[in-house]
Amino acid sequence: GAVVSQHPSRVICKSGTSVKIECRSLDFQATTMFWYRQFPKQSLMLMATSNEGSKATYEQGVEKDKFLINHASLTLSTLTVTSAHPEDSSFYICSAPRLAGVSNEQFFGPGTRLTVL
Amino acid sequence: AQKVTQAQTEISVVEKEDVTLDCVYETRDTTYYLFWYKQPPSGELVFLIRRNSFDEQNEISGRYSWNFQKSTSSFNFTITASQVVDSAVYFCARTRQLTFGSGTQLTVLP
C-alpha cells in the first residue's frame, strides 16, 4: 500500500525556536496533503491543506504566520512551527490522498510528537 | 459544523467479550465515505475500513464487523471475542473533508 513518512518522529525544543516537520509520500505523488494536530486524549483536528504550487488553505483559528506550510514538490510538504511555545506541544500528523481531490483514500504518516519546553 | 459523534469516551471489557463502538454522523452530502481508524499508543493511525454512502451492506472482516445504517446516520463497529491487543483509541470519520469523531478509548483487560 501507499506509504507516507514523517520526519522527525519526535522533537523536543526550547520555547521560541522554530521546528520543521517533513511529510513525504514515498510511492505516489500528492498534489494535496493535509496537516492535523492532536492534543492528548483528543481527536485529530485539521489544521491546513497543503497544495503543491499554491498557498496552503488554513482552517479557522489556525494562525498561518505561526504554522508555515510549504508544499515544495509533489512528494514533500513541510510544516514549520515558528517561535514555538509550550502550548504548541502536540502530536502532528500529515496525510495524503493518493488521487488529487479525492479524500476518500488518504494515507497517514506516523506522526511527529512535538514537545516545547 | 457537520459533526461525527462518538458518545462513548472510554470502554473497558474483559478479554473474549464482544464490544460495540458507536458512531453517529451528520452530513448534508448525498455521497460521502465513512471510516474507522485504530490508534494504538504509538500514535500511528491504522486504517480499518472505508464505506461508501451508497453501500449499506454490513461488512465482516475476521473479528471485526461494521453496521452501517443510513436511516439513523450510524456506522457502528463491533469487535467479537476481544483481545488485549485490541486496546487502543478508535476513531470514526467521514468525508468530504475528513472529519473525525472524538474517539473511543477501548481497554481490553486480560
Side-chain angles (χ1 to χ4, degrees):
Chain A
V3 178
V4 173
S5 70
Q6 275 183 249
H7 178 80
S9 57
R10 191 179 290 266
V11 58
I12 301 172
C13 69
K14 292 183 180 179
S15 189
T17 61
S18 293
V19 174
K20 181 187 282 189
I21 302 169
E22 293 185 349
C23 177
R24 292 181 186 272
S25 56
L26 297 185
D27 54 357
F28 65 100
Q29 293 183 333
T31 56
T32 302
M33 290 184 177
F34 300 95
W35 287 96
Y36 296 84
R37 180 169 54 186
Q38 185 182 29
F39 291 110
K41 296 191 182 299
Q42 293 189 26
S43 187
L44 284 78
M45 298 300 295
L46 180 65
M47 297 175 66
T49 302
S50 173
N51 303 299
E52 193 269 337
S54 64
K55 291 183 180 179
T57 306
Y58 290 82
E59 296 301 301
Q60 196 171 10
V62 177
E63 300 174 58
K64 59 183 178 183
D65 294 331
K66 180 167 187 63
F67 298 99
L68 300 180
I69 290 173
N70 181 24
H71 203 126
S73 73
L74 287 171
T75 59
L76 173 64
S77 174
T78 60
L79 168 68
T80 301
V81 183
T82 62
S83 187
H85 289 287
E87 57 265 31
D88 298 323
S89 298
S90 188
F91 192 54
Y92 293 86
I93 305 174
C94 71
S95 73
R98 187 196 288 274
L99 297 176
V102 180
S103 61
N104 63 328
E105 187 176 27
Q106 287 195 40
F107 298 93
F108 284 85
T112 297
R113 197 166 300 280
L114 170 64
T115 303
V116 185
L117 303 175
Chain B
Q2 299 173 63
K3 298 186 297 185
V4 177
T5 301
Q6 293 180 254
Q8 304 147 308
T9 307
E10 296 183 21
I11 299 176
S12 186
V13 299
V14 177
E15 204 170 20
K16 296 185 184 176
E17 285 184 359
D18 298 346
V19 59
T20 296
L21 309 182
D22 298 333
C23 174
V24 175
Y25 62 92
E26 298 174 4
T27 184
R28 289 187 285 270
D29 298 328
T30 52
T31 303
Y32 52 90
Y33 287 84
L34 299 167
F35 302 80
W36 275 96
Y37 291 91
K38 174 182 180 180
Q39 187 178 43
S42 65
E44 185 163 0
L45 283 175
V46 177
F47 167 81
L48 296 178
I49 189 171
R50 177 182 69 225
R51 186 50 116 204
N52 182 305
S53 57
F54 292 110
D55 183 0
E56 286 194 71
Q57 274 196 318
N58 291 331
E59 179 152 345
I60 298 175
S61 175
R63 295 184 298 107
Y64 296 166
S65 63
W66 290 269
N67 185 340
F68 177 26
Q69 300 266 357
K70 208 167 178 179
S71 60
T72 56
S73 297
S74 66
F75 187 42
N76 297 337
F77 172 34
T78 298
I79 303 175
T80 57
S82 60
Q83 300 176 0
V84 173
V85 293
D86 295 328
S87 297
V89 180
Y90 290 84
F91 290 100
C92 178
R94 65 129 183 86
T95 56
R96 285 178 279 176
Q97 286 277 41
L98 203 56
T99 301
F100 287 83
S102 54
T104 298
Q105 169 71 60
L106 173 65
T107 303
V108 181
L109 302 169

